[in-house]
Amino acid sequence: MKDVFKRFFFGKREKYWWMNVLVPLVSILLAFIVGAIFIKITGRSPVVAYKLLFGASGLFPGPYWKSHFSEMLLSSSMYIATGLGFAIAAKGGLFNIGAEGHFIVGGITAAYLGYAKPFAGLPKFIHLPLIIVGVILAGGIWGAIAGYLKAKRGIHEVITTIMLNWIALYLIEAWLVIGPMKAAVETGISGTPYISLSAKLPKILPPTRLNISIIIILAVTFLIWYLFYKTTFGYEIRTMGHTLIFGMEAPKAAGINVERKTIQTMFIAGAVAALGGAFMVLGVLFQYPPIFEGGYGFDGIAVALIGQNEPLGVVLAGILIGALRTGATTVQLAHIPKTFPSIIEGFAVGFIALQMLIRYWLMKLVRGRKKSVQTEMGGGAK
Amino acid sequence: MKALEVKDIVKQFPGVLANDSINLSVNKGEIYAIVGENGAGKSTLMKIIYGLYTPTSGEIFVFDKKVDIKTPHDAIGLKIGMVHQEFMLIPRFTVTQNIVLGDEPSKGIVFDYKKALSEVKELSKKFGLKVDPAEKVANLPVGIQQRVEILKILRRGAEILIFDEPTAVLTPEETEDLFKTLMKLKENGKTIIFISHKLKEVIAIADRIAVLRRGKLQGIVEKGKTSEVELARMVVGRDVVLKIPKAETKVRETVVSVRDLTVKSKRGIIGLKEVSFDVCAGEIVGIAGVEGNGQAELVNALIGFTRPVKGTIAFDSKELRVITPFNIRKKGMAYIPKDRKMRGLVLPFRSRENIIMGQHTLYPFSKNGVLNNIEIDKFTTKKLEEFDVRPRDIHTRARNLSGGNQQKLILAKEMSMEHKFLLASQPTRGLDIGAMEFVYHKLIEEKERGMAILLISLELSEILGLSDRILVLYNGEIVGETTPDKTNEEELGLMMLGLKKKKRVTK
Ligand SMILES: Nc1ncnc2c1ncn2[C@@H]1O[C@H](COP(=O)(O)OP(=O)(O)OP(=O)(O)O)[C@@H](O)[C@H]1O
Ligand SMILES: [Mg+2]
């Protein structure tokens, strides 16, 4: 039983498999150290700052923990969604910058299906799943457009996803929200109307705002992990991820339909990122506001990079970023701008980018001597 | 004087002892060959000398001085140069630009192309390596690209030149040219170390030959004191008969039939002109020809990488409108690509993951889209044994396999796939003679089982030994069709150079 369990979840490990875990951890640690140095240089106390930051992050018990904790998980679920959006595409060798667009497409779809008449009257157990399906389709299609343009027209996904982000933004903010989907003037609401009660995500930790979004996204993460490593579909995505960017053609030569897989991968990436937008609308804002405070899409890239594009890693990184953001406002008490956590996030990503170096350095540390380091790291053999 | 000496070199990879206290010494001005089975540790040893790997223990002496080579940069500083099997040239650049890259002559801060041109011209004259300094590398055949690579390391002042299987990608003519070059370099006092699986060549050119086996030095033989048979025995540890068994041919129905196929090359010019032929079940059709005479275009059209300009391809007497790798594989085509890294394997994948690529959607490897790891492992274990892939570990990543073992993995993958047509492009590239013998037997066995096989090879002995019919490609056209009993290497050679045509008996 234990064996089957191990087999199912771990497969065969490398000799230095824990390196893959240690490297991101060390990167994050380094980011905090560099952050501390910065605070120190500007003449403030890093200890106080970090105490405040983590005290209010929701990660550790303390005053108002319940509310911090729920806020942390609320935002984490969105970061995990957009992080997965990037990671799924990256596993297939695609550089998806489109999570921001998928996020707002998901948001506006959730808002519409949440207030519009034929749906709004339905019972919750029908209405809510219906909205989720709608969001998945809308986000998925938005993602698949970029996949299609890549597969059939050869246009690079970075270009198309960025363009689609802008298209989504203008469609929504310059038209839908102030036009067809605008709330009636007499209600005095700006943005779209509020969603009906049956569309709100059920709460799980009253009196806080925490809702089932975190459970949904954890389930989705498991599904994605299963898809990657246990199915033929994920197998094909991974063959592409290891070859596409290097211009290698092995998967195609083996008869894998790379074009179709590209479109499908982008569909899934878009669908998952769009869930994040739905969480925002169905669990936090309850409408689509005239101007959406975005950024979740781009933070998703950082989350995915810190999480090494692995589903479990993305969850942990998403929780970390969620926690930093939750604690952010309190660092102002130490006279530090509340954008400080983003700086830490930036450093962490920077160190992740230097991971080969960190890996090399750790390996040296581990083995005591400098012998044959580069090869064990998988330096290419003939 | 000793140019290079290695003492007690040990290289331990996780789970594999690639070099087991190897001692070698190479004299200045010597051509030194290293032979050995696939996975014997030849490339590893060379990479250690060139600073790509650090040895677990052992010492290296260059020109009698003990040295510590940590990076290729150190090696270049010690006048050691290496010509890799995959050339590291930039296709868009000219020959001159490639040769001076990284160490450009300059006027102030401006790159002095004129000076570079004349430098390259001088260099090429000095060593008798003819190249057109202004030509783009992309337009050059492999043999000339290799020459550019050699010039590049000579310009950096290399005294010791290392070649890892330089002849694996060359045609027999190009090999001859390379050997002339090597002799010339030797006259100039350069020291040459080269790895090869082709024992005949090794015996012809090397002054001394070192044989490696399973990481250990098996022995060193001097020029003229050995024979191919004896060397082969040293390499694989048993007698090898590279005689290809003659099998009875029972030709059955046509499986693939190609008509008037015209295909553009990657460069956009017509690379294959109105080619027609059939391949029937139970026969091997061999395609002979100098590399670059339409083989790549033919392969690309058959596997669905390029759409033909004109002509048709029929499979099982059904003409296929559009061919994609996806649909042609479904129809029952297996394909052994000649470029194992680009088309054969996913390098970071493990053996168990690579070997199912293409059949992963089939039972028992998966059911309803879910992979069955237990079946995959069972299958992989069996196939690694059958095709003698070393190490046997099903979890080895493809990029950590030796070149020949990568090739064996591809063979295992393609030949165990359900198919009725096998397109084999250079199937024995990089294999040791033992493995080569095995592949020949396999191909004959396939044929007897009624597969249709199209064999593309630069190796004339292979074509003559295995084929039932031979087609000769020259300049994108089939200039002759013959059978092995009605021709010989000389005649084929002439046909391949377009100097002789032979009427085609069938179409
Ligand atoms: N980076 C690596 N990591 C782990 N094992 C490796 C690595 N490189 C080589 N090996 C192993 O070391 C052994 C020797 O490999 P090497 O490439 O030196 O063989 P070779 O003699 O060049 O064989 P071939 O004729 O097939 O090219 C093989 O078993 C190979 O799997
Ligand atoms: Mg080798």
Side-chain angles (χ1 to χ4, degrees):
Chain A
M1 186 62 214
K2 202 174 139 203
D3 230 44
V4 172
F5 177 82
K6 238 169 88 183
R7 209 192 167 86
F8 189 78
F9 283 100
F10 296 107
K12 154 107 180 183
R13 288 295 185 191
E14 316 284 297
K15 189 161 172 212
Y16 294 106
W17 62 271
W18 41 264
M19 266 291 162
N20 299 334
V21 181
L22 199 59
V23 169
L25 286 183
V26 169
S27 305
I28 293 164
L29 197 69
L30 284 174
F32 277 112
I33 294 172
V34 173
I37 295 172
F38 264 79
I39 298 175
K40 190 87 200 160
I41 290 172
T42 53
R44 277 156 268 194
S45 164
V47 180
V48 175
Y50 282 154
K51 235 186 191 157
L52 285 167
L53 179 61
F54 284 108
S57 68
L59 276 181
F60 306 103
Y64 310 109
W65 182 43
K66 211 167 169 186
S67 98
H68 291 319
F69 180 72
S70 86
E71 288 305 305
M72 172 188 84
L73 289 185
L74 269 181
S75 59
S76 294
S77 60
M78 290 179 250
Y79 288 121
I80 295 170
T82 52
L84 283 175
F86 183 86
I88 292 164
K91 262 278 185 287
L94 299 160
F95 207 71
N96 172 22
I97 313 288
E100 189 73 32
H102 305 147
F103 191 88
I104 57 176
V105 166
I108 196 77
T109 310
Y112 177 74
L113 295 176
Y115 75 76
K117 249 303 107 338
F119 314 108
L122 296 167
K124 197 179 198 88
F125 70 92
I126 299 178
H127 193 192
L128 203 52
L130 194 88
I131 297 176
I132 298 290
V133 170
V135 166
I136 286 175
L137 284 177
I141 289 169
W142 206 252
I145 296 172
Y148 176 87
L149 290 171
K150 163 93 175 187
K152 303 285 180 187
R153 297 275 171 274
I155 310 173
H156 201 277
E157 68 276 10
V158 168
I159 296 169
T160 50
T161 48
I162 290 177
M163 270 169 38
L164 284 163
N165 283 349
W166 287 106
I167 293 172
L169 185 74
Y170 282 117
L171 273 182
I172 293 168
E173 290 191 357
W175 177 48
L176 290 176
V177 180
I178 55 171
M181 289 177 65
K182 190 164 168 278
V185 185
E186 55 277 14
T187 56
I189 304 166
S190 60
T192 69
Y194 282 95
I195 58 173
S196 80
L197 213 58
S198 58
K200 293 186 178 176
L201 291 169
K203 292 190 175 144
I204 50 174
L205 191 70
T208 69
R209 306 198 278 172
L210 187 61
N211 58 44
I212 58 166
S213 62
I214 186 72
I215 296 173
I216 296 177
I217 202 66
L218 287 178
V220 168
T221 309
F222 176 78
L223 285 179
I224 297 297
W225 172 85
Y226 188 85
L227 183 83
F228 278 171
Y229 295 108
K230 300 292 158 188
T231 67
T232 54
F233 189 95
Y235 171 86
E236 295 185 0
I237 292 181
R238 286 184 295 124
T239 62
M240 287 158 49
H242 289 304
T243 50
L244 277 192
I245 29 178
F246 306 107
M248 295 173 175
E249 298 162 321
K252 190 175 164 199
I256 290 172
N257 195 335
V258 174
E259 291 177 2
R260 196 197 301 164
K261 278 284 129 25
T262 302
I263 300 171
Q264 290 169 336
T265 306
M266 282 303 292
F267 182 95
I268 298 174
V272 174
L275 281 180
F279 295 159
M280 187 66 147
V281 167
L282 304 178
V284 179
L285 301 174
F286 307 120
Q287 61 141 197
Y288 197 101
I291 289 172
F292 203 73
E293 262 213 59
Y296 285 94
F298 295 114
D299 282 315
I301 299 175
V303 167
L305 290 176
I306 296 173
Q308 306 275 287
N309 295 329
E310 290 298 328
L312 182 62
V314 169
V315 166
L316 296 177
I319 289 176
L320 176 77
I321 301 298
L324 288 181
R325 291 298 154 87
T326 308
T329 39
T330 55
V331 292
Q332 288 168 314
L333 297 178
H335 308 287
I336 292 164
K338 69 170 196 250
T339 49
F340 179 69
S342 327
I343 298 173
I344 301 234
E345 183 185 318
F347 277 124
V349 172
F351 284 119
I352 291 275
L354 295 176
Q355 58 174 298
M356 277 330 260
L357 204 73
I358 293 180
R359 204 170 263 255
Y360 181 80
W361 172 73
L362 282 173
M363 200 55 114
K364 256 185 169 172
L365 217 68
V366 170
R367 314 189 87 224
R369 286 198 291 141
K370 59 173 195 253
K371 60 177 192 186
S372 53
V373 168
Q374 71 259 47
T375 50
E376 271 73 24
M377 289 164 30
K382 192 185 81 99
Chain B
M1 188 166 136
K2 278 178 193 147
L4 178 80
E5 191 172 10
V6 300
K7 280 191 184 154
D8 293 321
I9 291 282
V10 175
K11 178 67 192 178
Q12 174 81 57
F13 288 115
V16 180
L17 188 58
N19 284 167
D20 188 356
S21 56
I22 292 188
N23 289 287
L24 285 181
S25 80
V26 183
N27 296 329
K28 184 171 183 304
E30 189 173 31
I31 298 185
Y32 199 96
I34 298 179
V35 298
E37 283 177 305
N38 292 131
K42 305 177 297 291
S43 298
T44 303
L45 184 61
M46 293 305 112
K47 284 180 186 166
I48 288 173
I49 295 169
Y50 191 57
L52 285 166
Y53 289 161
T54 356
T56 311
S57 66
E59 295 174 324
I60 302 174
F61 297 83
V62 175
F63 293 112
D64 298 325
K65 261 215 316 277
K66 183 172 175 340
V67 293
D68 191 12
I69 306 173
K70 284 213 191 77
T71 62
H73 194 79
D74 295 345
I76 292 167
L78 291 163
K79 300 194 186 309
I80 300 173
M82 182 155 170
V83 174
H84 296 270
Q85 198 165 11
E86 293 83 35
F87 307 138
M88 314 254 180
L89 301 173
I90 300 173
R92 282 182 301 118
F93 281 15
T94 65
V95 168
T96 302
Q97 282 169 328
N98 266 293
I99 291 177
V100 300
L101 190 72
D103 182 20
E104 302 88 349
S106 54
K107 243 193 262 162
I109 51 162
V110 202
F111 172 49
D112 189 352
Y113 189 68
K114 271 222 184 85
K115 179 142 180 277
L117 264 179
S118 71
E119 253 185 53
V120 169
K121 265 190 202 138
E122 202 178 303
L123 205 65
S124 99
K125 209 158 87 205
K126 183 171 167 203
F127 293 102
L129 285 160
K130 268 194 223 108
V131 289
D132 176 358
E135 180 67 85
K136 276 215 177 74
V137 162
N139 302 339
L140 299 175
V142 196
I144 309 289
Q145 288 191 20
Q146 193 174 55
R147 236 177 248 178
V148 175
E149 194 78 38
I150 297 172
L151 282 170
K152 182 171 178 154
I153 62 175
L154 284 173
R155 186 169 171 279
R156 304 264 183 100
E159 286 297 325
I160 302 170
L161 289 89
I162 301 174
F163 294 83
D164 193 351
E165 296 190 37
T167 57
V169 287
L170 300 184
T171 60
E173 301 75 44
E174 287 173 326
T175 302
E176 246 164 66
D177 281 347
L178 173 70
F179 285 173
K180 275 186 205 139
T181 306
L182 294 188
M183 292 309 285
K184 188 105 184 173
L185 290 173
K186 182 182 162 167
E187 278 166 34
N188 276 286
K190 309 276 181 202
T191 309
I192 287 150
I193 305 175
F194 85 101
I195 298 176
S196 177
H197 288 296
K198 302 180 185 174
L199 303 181
K200 206 184 277 172
E201 312 173 345
V202 167
I203 289 173
I205 190 156
D207 296 314
R208 279 196 294 166
I209 305 162
V211 184
L212 292 191
R213 245 179 87 197
R214 316 224 160 164
K216 282 205 181 69
L217 183 64
Q218 196 70 16
I220 298 171
V221 291
E222 310 251 324
K223 190 182 181 94
K225 289 204 182 125
T226 186
S227 67
E228 212 183 323
V229 177
E230 193 188 338
L231 200 57
R233 195 180 308 133
M234 275 180 85
V235 168
V236 279
R238 63 179 164 89
D239 282 315
V240 205
V241 265
L242 256 192
K243 263 271 192 291
I244 296 164
K246 267 291 154 211
E248 223 181 295
T249 308
K250 273 188 240 106
V251 177
R252 306 200 311 227
E253 74 283 0
T254 306
V255 176
V256 173
S257 106
V258 171
R259 289 290 172 271
D260 299 322
L261 196 66
T262 303
V263 186
K264 274 193 183 160
S265 73
K266 280 219 174 96
R267 282 194 275 147
I269 55 169
I270 299 287
L272 195 70
K273 282 173 227 149
E274 313 217 336
V275 163
S276 305
F277 64 87
D278 289 338
V279 188
C280 302
E283 70 166 349
I284 300 181
V285 175
I287 299 227
V290 176
E291 171 115 61
N293 276 280
Q295 292 94 331
E297 290 75 14
L298 177 61
V299 167
N300 283 343
L302 282 173
I303 185 73
F305 270 64
T306 336
R307 198 171 286 187
V309 183
K310 212 185 99 193
T312 59
I313 297 171
F315 207 95
D316 277 342
S317 353
K318 266 202 288 300
E319 190 181 306
L320 298 174
R321 277 257 195 79
V322 185
I323 295 184
T324 63
F326 181 67
N327 72 18
I328 192 81
R329 286 245 186 210
K330 270 220 166 113
K331 291 239 182 290
M333 170 157 158
Y335 166 46
I336 300 170
K338 71 168 193 191
D339 190 331
R340 49 183 170 243
K341 295 213 167 137
M342 290 307 276
R343 285 198 182 167
L345 298 169
V346 176
L347 294 177
F349 266 17
R350 303 166 193 288
S351 295
R352 61 184 292 280
E353 290 172 301
N354 264 305
I355 208 163
I356 58 160
M357 188 162 62
Q359 42 189 341
H360 58 278
T361 52
L362 304 176
Y363 186 80
F365 306 120
S366 67
K367 212 171 139 188
N368 303 326
V370 178
L371 293 167
N372 183 342
N373 285 328
I374 292 168
E375 286 299 327
I376 293 171
D377 289 357
K378 252 198 247 164
F379 174 80
T380 314
T381 311
K382 198 174 90 200
K383 287 296 165 184
L384 294 190
E385 188 68 40
E386 183 184 340
F387 284 80
D388 190 28
V389 180
R390 288 180 225 170
R392 288 284 194 278
D393 186 0
I394 60 171
H395 297 289
T396 312
R397 291 181 191 278
R399 67 160 176 243
N400 290 343
L401 286 172
S402 79
N405 283 301
Q406 289 179 345
Q407 185 70 14
K408 291 189 210 163
L409 189 62
I410 295 175
L411 292 165
K413 171 178 87 154
E414 295 297 331
M415 291 178 124
S416 53
M417 207 178 286
E418 186 83 29
H419 65 279
K420 35 180 130 143
F421 174 53
L422 174 67
L423 173 59
S425 190
Q426 318 278 5
T428 58
R429 172 170 286 183
L431 294 184
D432 66 39
I433 33 171
M436 223 180 255
E437 188 188 26
F438 171 78
V439 172
Y440 293 160
H441 280 112
K442 263 279 174 201
L443 287 172
I444 297 287
E445 193 186 304
E446 288 230 322
K447 163 181 131 172
E448 283 174 333
R449 285 214 328 264
M451 305 282 156
I453 301 174
L454 186 65
L455 171 73
I456 300 177
S457 177
L458 304 178
E459 226 51 65
L460 283 184
S461 57
E462 213 165 277
I463 294 276
L464 279 167
L466 288 167
S467 314
D468 297 302
R469 281 186 298 137
I470 301 172
L471 305 173
V472 184
L473 263 184
Y474 170 71
N475 211 1
E477 288 177 89
I478 293 183
V479 294
E481 171 165 348
T482 178
T483 51
D485 51 330
K486 292 204 190 84
T487 188
N488 51 34
E489 289 206 17
E490 284 71 51
E491 193 188 48
L492 278 181
L494 288 177
M495 282 159 65
M496 282 161 57
L497 295 173
L499 300 173
K500 186 171 176 181
K501 298 206 174 188
K502 206 161 192 180
K503 231 187 155 183
R504 303 190 56 184
V505 244
T506 48
K507 195 166 179 168

